[in-house]
Amino acid sequence: HAFITLGKLCLRDESLAKESLNILARELRQENSDPAVQSNCLMVMGDLCVRYTNLVDKYLPFMAACLQAGEGKSATVNNSSSRLSASFNRKTNGCSIVKKNAILLLSSLLLQDYVKWRGLFIHRFLAAVADEDDEVSMLAQAALRGPLLEKQPNLLCNHFVGAVFVFNSCKAHPMYATEASGGGTGLTVDFEGASLAGSEGYHQRREVYEMMLANMTDEQKLTVTARLVKEILGGALETSGDLGDVCKMPAVGIICPSSRIEAAINVLTDTLAILTSPEIKVGRKGTEDAEDDLVSANGSKPDQRNVHKLRLLTKISRKHLMEIVIPILCNLKTVLEGSHSPLLKNLMQYLGKIFRSYRSEVQEHLANDPTLLQELEYDTRQYEKKQKQRDRDSILQAEVVLDEATA
C-alpha cells in the first residue's frame, strides 16, 4: 500500500507529485513487477492525471501500455465456460486485473477529456478486444462500442484502414507513420509489445475487424470499403512501395519472406478477407429482405425513410463496385497472374462474391473480358454446387439426430 499512500500525499503536494511520477511510470513498465503493485500505481497516476493534467500527460504511453500488461508471460488455460464470451476459450494470467483497471481508468479519462487519442493509443485499445482473457476482451468491447463510440461516432471508421497496417506491423508504409503521429503534440503512444502480426495473429485481427464493422453505420461501411480499395488495393498497383513489390514478386520469392514482405502480404490478405466478409456489406441480403425483416421485427410497417435510405445506399454501393472496385481488381488480377502470386486466390474469392451478388451488372461490365467472365461463372457454379452439398449434408444430419431422439 506504499504507492497508495504516496499517491494521497502527491494529491496534496504538486512538487512531490512531479518527483514521484517517474517512479510510478517505471513500475508500470517493469516486466517482473507484481500485478497488484502495477494496478495501484496505475490508479494513482489516474488520480494525478485529474489533479495535475499537464504533468501526467507525457506519461500516457506508460499508462496505455498497461492495456497489454504481461504480454508474453506464461498463461494458464481457463477451462470454465464464460458467460461473457461466445467465442473460443481464452487464457488468463495474473495481469488481467491490470488490463481491466487500465480499460476502466483510461475510458473514464478519455470521456472527461483529461487525455486524448494520441499516436497508436486507439490501436492498443482495439488490441485489447482480442485479449486472451474473456473478461478483458468483453470489457474493452463494451467501452469502445458504448460510451467512447457515442462520444466520437467516427472513431472506428476513421482508424479502420490504419489498423490493418498497425496490426500487421507494416511500418514501412506511410499509413503507419500517419497513424503513429496522429493526435497532436506530446509523446505518442507506440504499439510495442502488442503486435498481432503474422499468421499466428490472424484470428485475433479478424476478431477486432469484425467488432469494428459490427458497430459501423452503412455510410461508414461504404467509406471503409472505398478507402480499402483505393489506398491498399489501388496502392498495390503503384510502381513503388512494399505492396506493389509483393504483387510483382513471384511465388517462389515469398516462401521465406522478410518481415517487411510478410507484413505487406498480410495487409493485402487481410484487406481482401475484410472485403469478402459479410460484415462489411451494406444493408442485408436485399432491399426486399430488409423490409421483411423490419416488418417482422417491429410488427408494423417499416419506416419509409429507412427503407429509402437503404435503397439509396445499396445503389451507391453497387455503383462504386462497378465503376471503381471492378477496374482496380481487374488490373490487380493481371499483375498477380503475371507473377503467379498466391494472392490471386484471395482476389478471385472477392471477385466471385461480387459476381454472385450482382451477376447481371458484372456480366455487362466484363463483356470485353470474356476470359475473366468465364472464370467467374465457373467459380460460381462450383460454389453453388458445394453450397447445395452442404445443405444436403445438414438436412441428413438433422434427420439422423431426429431419428436418434425418437428411437
Side-chain angles (χ1 to χ4, degrees):
H1 300 286
F3 285 108
I4 297 293
T5 304
L6 177 62
K8 291 180 179 180
L9 295 173
C10 289
L11 289 173
R12 293 170 175 256
D13 188 338
E14 184 175 356
S15 60
L16 178 62
K18 190 174 183 179
E19 294 175 0
S20 303
L21 281 170
N22 282 329
I23 300 174
L24 295 168
R26 183 183 60 194
E27 198 67 33
L28 292 181
R29 293 305 293 262
Q30 286 185 354
E31 294 183 0
N32 58 350
S33 180
D34 185 88
V37 174
Q38 281 189 321
S39 185
N40 287 340
C41 290
L42 178 64
M43 302 308 290
V44 169
M45 291 192 75
D47 290 338
L48 295 179
C49 184
V50 175
R51 183 72 175 84
Y52 313 112
T53 305
N54 292 334
L55 285 180
V56 184
D57 185 64
K58 64 180 181 180
Y59 294 97
L60 178 60
F62 297 91
M63 300 169 71
C66 291
L67 291 166
Q68 281 75 42
E71 293 288 323
K73 289 185 178 181
S74 59
T76 57
V77 177
N78 181 13
N79 293 321
S80 61
S81 58
S82 172
R83 294 178 295 174
L84 294 175
S85 176
S87 58
F88 50 85
N89 285 337
R90 300 174 185 268
K91 298 177 182 178
T92 180
N93 59 38
C95 292
S96 294
I97 185 64
V98 181
K99 298 177 185 178
K100 286 185 279 190
N101 283 336
I103 293 170
L104 293 172
L105 174 65
L106 293 171
S107 297
S108 177
L109 295 175
L110 284 164
L111 291 170
Q112 298 177 76
D113 291 324
Y114 287 112
V115 298
K116 303 288 184 182
W117 294 115
R118 197 165 71 218
L120 304 182
F121 186 11
I122 177 62
H123 302 89
R124 279 193 174 275
F125 222 111
L126 288 168
V129 170
D131 194 89
E132 293 182 325
D133 188 296
D134 276 336
E135 293 183 358
V136 174
S137 172
M138 298 306 292
L139 189 60
Q141 290 188 51
L144 281 169
R145 64 190 182 192
L148 294 175
L149 193 59
E150 290 177 7
K151 183 177 175 64
Q152 292 181 251
N154 292 320
L155 179 65
L156 301 180
C157 175
N158 290 343
H159 292 282
F160 190 94
V161 177
V164 177
F165 288 95
V166 174
F167 291 160
N168 285 290
S169 296
C170 193
K171 300 180 180 180
H173 196 277
M175 180 62 70
Y176 191 103
T178 300
E179 291 288 313
S181 61
T185 59
L187 287 175
T188 59
V189 178
D190 60 29
F191 202 65
E192 296 302 320
S195 177
L196 305 179
S199 57
E200 63 278 3
Y202 172 75
H203 293 292
Q204 291 175 297
R205 297 196 303 272
R206 183 65 184 265
E207 185 176 1
V208 180
Y209 299 148
E210 289 177 357
M211 186 281 297
M212 295 176 76
L213 290 171
N215 292 280
M216 288 186 194
T217 63
D218 285 335
E219 294 93 328
Q220 291 172 336
K221 289 180 182 180
L222 278 174
T223 301
V224 167
T225 300
R227 290 191 60 197
L228 287 172
V229 172
K230 179 182 178 181
E231 299 178 27
I232 298 183
L233 299 186
L237 293 172
E238 296 178 358
T239 55
S240 60
D242 288 354
L243 297 181
D245 292 342
V246 165
C247 293
K248 299 180 184 69
M249 187 178 294
V252 293
I254 56 178
I255 295 177
C256 298
S258 64
S259 58
R260 279 184 58 171
I261 295 300
E262 183 182 13
I265 292 172
N266 289 335
V267 165
L268 289 168
T269 303
D270 282 9
T271 300
L272 291 169
I274 292 165
L275 292 170
T276 309
S277 68
E279 289 82 11
I280 202 171
K281 186 175 182 179
V282 172
R284 309 202 184 175
K285 295 181 180 178
T287 303
E288 294 179 0
D289 293 338
E291 290 187 39
D292 293 340
D293 290 340
L294 286 170
V295 172
S296 60
N298 301 329
S300 59
K301 189 175 181 180
D303 189 339
Q304 290 300 314
R305 289 175 300 180
N306 291 336
V307 173
H308 292 318
K309 180 181 178 181
L310 180 58
R311 286 174 176 167
L312 177 61
L313 290 174
T314 303
K315 288 180 181 179
I316 294 174
S317 176
R318 185 186 296 116
K319 182 178 180 181
H320 177 259
L321 285 171
M322 295 304 114
E323 296 182 359
I324 306 297
V325 177
I326 293 293
I328 290 178
L329 294 179
C330 290
N331 291 332
L332 188 57
K333 176 177 177 292
T334 302
V335 175
L336 296 177
E337 283 181 331
S339 61
H340 302 286
S341 172
L343 291 168
L344 183 61
K345 177 182 177 181
N346 305 79
L347 179 70
M348 291 302 296
Q349 288 177 344
Y350 181 38
L351 270 171
K353 179 203 170 188
I354 297 175
F355 182 73
R356 292 190 298 272
S357 301
Y358 309 105
R359 182 172 301 194
S360 59
E361 290 90 341
V362 175
Q363 286 175 334
E364 180 180 351
H365 194 81
L366 295 180
N368 296 326
D369 193 349
T371 303
L372 176 56
L373 191 57
Q374 289 176 2
E375 290 180 20
L376 291 174
E377 289 175 342
Y378 174 78
D379 290 344
T380 299
R381 288 195 298 269
Q382 294 298 111
Y383 174 85
E384 291 173 347
K385 186 184 297 184
K386 290 180 181 179
Q387 191 66 36
K388 290 179 180 178
Q389 183 62 44
R390 281 195 292 266
D391 292 341
R392 285 196 294 267
D393 292 343
S394 298
I395 293 172
L396 290 174
Q397 187 175 2
E399 289 178 350
V400 169
V401 173
L402 183 62
D403 291 340
E404 291 177 352
T406 56

